[in-house]
Amino acid sequence: MVRRSTVDRSPQPPMYEADYEAGTAELAPGESSKRRPSGTGSRGAGGRWLVWTFRVVVWVVLLVIGYRGVMAIVLNETPPSNSSPAPAAPATPDFPAQEASAYALQFGQVYLNASPATASQRASDLASFLPPGASDPQLGWNGGGSLRLQSEQVAGVQVQDAHHATVTLLARVNGKLMELGVPVYATAGGMVISGEPAWLPAPKPAAAPAAPQVNPDSAAESELARQLPAFFAAYATGDQSTLGRFLAPGTSLTGLGGSVAFGSVTGVTAPVGGTVRHIVATVVWKIPGQGANGVRAGNSTASLEMTYALTIVRQHGTWYVQSIAPSTEAGGPP
């Protein structure tokens, strides 16, 4: 009895056809082109599933990365840095300019006074400002002639760093105005004059600009020339009851407390305007002369002419003073 095999002639999936064609192409001439076992095709299908799974994973990763990037832009996030941050530089302490200014003033009192009769005392006083063991105890003075300091003030401080600065003193020495540059070194609460000072020229005179032209109010100037003498007389004494009669509501002035006496008003400049004006008044003050023992020298009295800027307001047909201050402009005739 002959056993017959049944051949499956139903349509096959494309992957089987591909495996079949590939296997047929690899057969040598003369070999029968039999279909490969189904096991080979199953292995090919499993490989394709791995490929598709890998592609899905890659797309998921790309989507996650893209989402994180968009969110970082929207939220302005900065990616963390793997490098360790650089250590912050220590803050440089400020140079003690105010203390150095006072220190330089004290030094100037000693340095700018010199006389052969007091040379040893000068050297002893300078020693407290100089580094220990300084080679020149007189700091450049040859021991001849004399220096006499009449006045000094701090004109400025030029700071170089946390330890070095130059303090400039504006001083009058032997009757002449000059500037002195004093090098100061400061550290750990201590100070020292770190080198020889430098004599510098005094500020040169400058030409002040001409006062701006104003349209004068002659009527107001005449009225104020009659009213202001009584105001300045009260301002000189500081008598509050009298002074208050000339002040605008809400204004208070201390006055000069009798340190001077009123002499005269020599000029008033009042521009045309409304009920509030800014005027300039020139006043002569009398200053009692004092002798060597605080006694008046005869009957003579010193006088000084000074210029003031006043703000005045018009109320009920009368001018009242709202403020008084030094003027930057020259006064004019009444």
Side-chain angles (χ1 to χ4, degrees):
M1 186 174 180
V2 179
R3 190 173 183 177
R4 297 180 180 179
S5 60
T6 303
V7 178
D8 187 3
R9 298 181 181 275
S10 63
Q12 303 296 321
M15 63 182 181
Y16 286 105
E17 294 178 1
D19 292 339
Y20 177 77
E21 291 174 359
T24 306
E26 294 173 358
L27 292 175
E31 294 181 355
S32 61
S33 57
K34 295 181 179 180
R35 183 170 54 86
R36 291 185 177 183
S38 59
T40 305
S42 299
R43 288 193 300 269
R48 286 177 177 272
W49 279 110
L50 291 175
V51 170
W52 280 106
T53 302
F54 177 75
R55 288 181 178 178
V56 171
V57 172
V58 171
W59 277 106
V60 171
V61 172
L62 291 176
L63 289 174
V64 171
I65 294 175
Y67 173 79
R68 292 293 298 169
V70 172
M71 293 304 296
I73 294 174
V74 173
L75 299 178
N76 195 24
E77 295 179 353
T78 303
S81 175
N82 293 329
S83 59
S84 58
T92 302
D94 295 333
F95 182 87
Q98 185 173 359
E99 186 177 0
S101 299
Y103 187 78
L105 279 172
Q106 293 297 315
F107 166 77
Q109 290 282 342
V110 179
Y111 179 79
L112 294 175
N113 282 296
S115 172
T118 58
S120 59
Q121 183 62 46
R122 181 178 186 271
S124 176
D125 294 339
L126 282 176
S128 61
F129 296 95
L130 303 180
S135 58
D136 183 4
Q138 294 292 351
L139 200 58
W141 179 50
N142 65 352
S146 62
L147 297 173
R148 187 168 65 90
L149 174 67
Q150 278 116 6
S151 64
E152 64 171 353
Q153 295 86 28
V154 175
V157 181
Q158 185 176 4
V159 177
Q160 299 176 3
D161 53 42
H163 301 289
H164 299 85
T166 299
V167 178
T168 301
L169 302 178
L170 180 63
R172 183 169 295 278
V173 181
N174 291 356
K176 294 184 178 181
L177 195 64
M178 49 82 71
E179 286 189 357
L180 186 72
V182 182
V184 179
Y185 176 81
T187 181
M191 291 189 180
V192 70
I193 303 301
S194 57
E196 292 183 344
W199 197 292
L200 304 171
K204 62 181 181 180
Q213 296 294 326
V214 297
N215 186 14
D217 186 341
S218 300
E221 290 177 349
S222 298
E223 182 180 356
L224 290 168
R226 295 189 299 268
Q227 180 180 343
L228 287 178
F231 162 74
F232 280 108
Y235 184 67
T237 61
D239 181 13
Q240 292 298 304
S241 60
T242 305
L243 190 60
R245 298 203 302 265
F246 300 94
L247 302 181
T251 301
S252 62
L253 295 177
T254 303
L256 302 179
S259 58
V260 295
F262 172 72
S264 62
V265 174
T266 60
V268 178
T269 302
V272 173
T275 58
V276 179
R277 309 280 184 93
H278 300 286
I279 69 169
V280 176
T282 303
V283 185
V284 174
W285 297 121
K286 295 180 179 180
I287 305 174
Q290 300 293 326
N293 298 321
V295 180
R296 180 188 299 272
N299 294 322
S300 63
T301 301
S303 65
L304 286 174
E305 184 179 85
M306 298 182 176
T307 305
Y308 293 87
L310 294 89
T311 300
I312 58 175
V313 296
R314 186 79 169 178
Q315 293 182 351
H316 310 295
T318 304
W319 291 107
Y320 294 92
V321 176
Q322 190 175 61
S323 67
I324 182 171
S327 174
T328 59
E329 302 175 9

